[in-house]
Amino acid sequence: MENVKKLTLEEIADRYAIRDLIDAYAFCADTRDAEGQMALFAEDALFRVFMDERLTEPTQVVNSRNELAPIFENLNTYTSTMHVNGQSKITLSGDTAIGTTYCFAHHLTIDGEDKKLMVAAIRYYDEFIRTNNEWFFKKRDLKVAWVETKPQHS
């Protein structure tokens, strides 16, 4: 295994902090903590949504942390959500980093007897920045690979 790069303790700490940031985003989404979710972003963050990953132009664009609230509060339209993060690839470069994270986002809707589960396969393409020794999202592109919706039975 001669191609395995030895990481310094600082690189390990940075990778852990960035992964913790990624997971905090999912946790805040599922606990409906829009303010906590917004706090994970740099003030001048760029957040773009691509409802189809093949699109070259985003479906939605937000240009600052303060404008993120409506996107995150939209999760309140679901009875429950569960974001399950999978693998991520992070490349460090001093006080910045880039990364890609895979996620399955489960969205449950219950309307009387009607129960539906929508699962979105998402890839996040991120740029991170360290400010005052804390990592933040500087740019996040949410790209939906596919969506599956199916009825749920009790």
Side-chain angles (χ1 to χ4, degrees):
M1 297 198 44
E2 27 186 287
N3 291 336
V4 175
K5 180 185 177 217
K6 294 190 193 254
L7 299 174
T8 67
L9 285 177
E10 183 179 358
E11 288 172 324
I12 293 168
D14 286 340
R15 288 177 181 280
Y16 179 82
I18 290 171
R19 182 57 195 220
D20 194 48
L21 176 70
I22 292 165
D23 290 341
Y25 175 93
F27 181 81
C28 287
D30 292 338
T31 58
R32 305 301 188 271
D33 182 1
E35 284 187 24
Q37 202 169 13
M38 290 168 60
L40 303 172
F41 287 79
E43 287 185 35
D44 61 344
L46 175 63
F47 185 90
R48 303 186 310 172
V49 177
F50 297 78
M51 289 309 292
D52 180 337
E53 69 179 349
R54 298 168 295 182
L55 297 174
T56 56
E57 293 298 316
T59 313
Q60 189 171 15
V61 178
V62 175
N63 292 300
S64 75
R65 175 197 297 166
N66 292 336
E67 296 175 22
L68 288 167
I71 289 177
F72 299 150
E73 289 170 356
N74 183 58
L75 291 172
N76 290 319
T77 62
Y78 299 100
T79 305
S80 183
T81 61
M82 183 176 291
H83 291 71
V84 181
N85 289 326
Q87 70 271 26
S88 59
K89 173 76 173 145
I90 297 165
T91 304
L92 298 168
S93 181
D95 286 336
T96 63
I98 58 172
T100 303
T101 301
Y102 288 63
C103 177
F104 281 110
H106 303 75
H107 303 78
L108 178 66
T109 305
I110 300 175
D111 185 12
E113 296 294 315
D114 187 30
K115 289 170 55 174
K116 290 182 186 157
L117 180 66
M118 183 269 284
V119 180
I122 297 171
R123 282 185 261 272
Y124 295 106
Y125 297 90
D126 297 314
E127 293 178 16
F128 307 98
I129 188 163
R130 179 175 26 208
T131 306
N132 298 324
N133 211 29
E134 189 175 351
W135 286 98
F136 296 93
F137 292 104
K138 175 72 173 166
K139 177 183 175 188
R140 177 157 254 208
D141 282 354
L142 182 164
K143 295 192 174 188
V144 178
W146 72 85
V147 173
E148 179 183 10
T149 303
K150 52 189 169 187
Q152 295 296 291
H153 307 285
S154 298

